[in-house]
Amino acid sequence: MKEINKLFIGGEWVESASGRMIEVVDPATEEVWARVPEGNGEDIDRAVKAARQAFDKGPWRRMSTYERAELMREMASLLKSNAEFLGEIESRETGKPVHRTKQDATGLHQWWHYYAGMADKIQGETIPFEDDKHIFTVREPLGVVGAITAWNAPLQLITMKLSMALAAGNTVVLKPAETTPVNAFEIAKLVEKVGFPPGVINVVPGYGESAGQRLTSHPDVDKISFTGDSATARKIMRAATGNLKKLNFELGGKSPQIIFPDANFDSAFESAVSHGFDYTGQACTLGSRVLVHEDLYDKFLERFKERAEQIKVGNPLEKVDIGPQANKQQLEKTLNYIKIGQKEGARLVAGGNRPSVDKGYYVNPTVFADVNPEMRIAQEEIFGPVVTVIPFSTEQEAIDIANNVSYGLSAGVWTKNLARGHRMAKELRAGTVWLNTFRYVRWVAPYGGYKASGWGRENGTEAMKEFTQVKTVMVDLNE
Ligand code: NDP
């Protein structure tokens, strides 16, 4: 049993106020495999105080951008050398296959390098106006950032939020999801090793309704950077009204992959399989709706059913394609949506059931065909290995179906017709449109949602706008 006894606040390991522990369940065995301290409102208050102090009075803001970047680069190399270990924990926490989590973890240092390089490139502008006035702007950090992360990709989300917030010169209180808090502590150990000034990064796991609520309503927190459910984002908006915090949200999705008859069929097909079921369907960008042109529909469906049935579901520590759902609540949610799909009259062509194992939150890859775009399984985020296949006949019909959901995170278009690809990119209401590729998310490219999929952008230089504010300076040049 992995046991972590203290919270990381103000550069020190401290007891939680309540002394209570969170038991972390392995979704593959349903057994408790780790225990971490439960932070509550009082612990959040202490962490915010430490972060405020570090921002207002500590060395962090006065450091040169070069020194700040040096620390971030050191963090990058520690993340790289610990990738295998961190990847193993991520697999234990989330149920994702360990060969995939280790591979994912090896890429995380890139975010830290990219944003370390950004620290000295955050610039304002000079504004020509009256001859006797000199007007210029500077971009300054916001202050204390509350980072709230979801359980589906803890390492990735923590990496993104920390590297962006710190490059801009903010300090951070991190509240990881209560079901996947372990790696947040491993990151805290690396933070300590690097020697970031005390209070720059604080880690307090706890329940959303207590620790999360306190962080989002705290008068000394300047911004919340949140990844999770749209319903939680609404609660955060209400909680943030006290001091009118800045907010950025990376929320759910119901992303379409649209396959035209002139597409490279094999590439489109492989993408529909891997980006439909990857991570047991628990990633916001996945292509959970596949829109297939009527000329290809029967051929696609026959092969898709066959491949869905071949996907190896099992213990994430073994060589499997997908593991279990990350927690019990998510398992129940997915099974409920499968029932809803059947009741709505969609045709179940694969899965719809659970593998016969004694333990673990497993669900078989599930395919619904002939799905009416108005059905709930085509409208709502399931976050399980359930793909809805929808036929279409014209370009306009594909656009209408793709856009007719509350989400707008991403969309994929498969066609060899360049003009059509660009027309589709223009019409699709999504934060990212991929043409002849899918789910290519990199540190350089802005990422975020339209509509109920979020506010603001992460990644790229755009992210710096989210983590800084503009100060205008006007100077009268007369004596
Ligand atoms: P949540 O939005 O509840 O969880 C995300 C984070 O928010 C967790 O750290 C959670 O803490 C915290 N939180 C919960 N309530 C509050 C609150 N009132 N104030 C502040 N923070 C809070 O997502 P769920 O875990 O409930 O997942 C539900 C659904 O959300 C999924 O089925 C999926 O559809 C979607 N989802 C989307 C993700 C994405 O990447 N877009 C990621 C995860 C989920 P705690 O863990 O203690 O609850």
Side-chain angles (χ1 to χ4, degrees), residues 44-56 142-146 170-173 199 202 213-224 239-246:
I44 290 288
D45 287 351
R46 281 194 288 162
V48 172
K49 197 171 170 194
R52 185 86 254 162
Q53 177 84 8
F55 184 78
D56 289 344
L142 296 168
V144 177
V145 172
N170 300 286
T171 58
V172 180
V173 176
N202 307 274
Q213 221 285 337
R214 182 67 187 143
L215 188 58
T216 53
S217 59
H218 201 295
D220 248 350
V221 173
D222 300 286
K223 180 194 169 81
I224 296 292
T241 54
N243 66 339
L244 297 171
K245 286 180 186 58
K246 314 272 185 297

Side-chain angles (χ1 to χ4, degrees), residues 105 109 208 214 268 306 318 394 427:
H109 67 283
R214 182 67 187 143
E306 198 179 297
E318 290 164 15
T394 65
E427 294 299 325

Side-chain angles (χ1 to χ4, degrees), residues 133-146:
K133 299 281 183 299
H134 177 45
I135 309 176
F136 64 96
T137 62
V138 284
R139 283 203 162 265
E140 298 188 333
L142 296 168
V144 177
V145 172

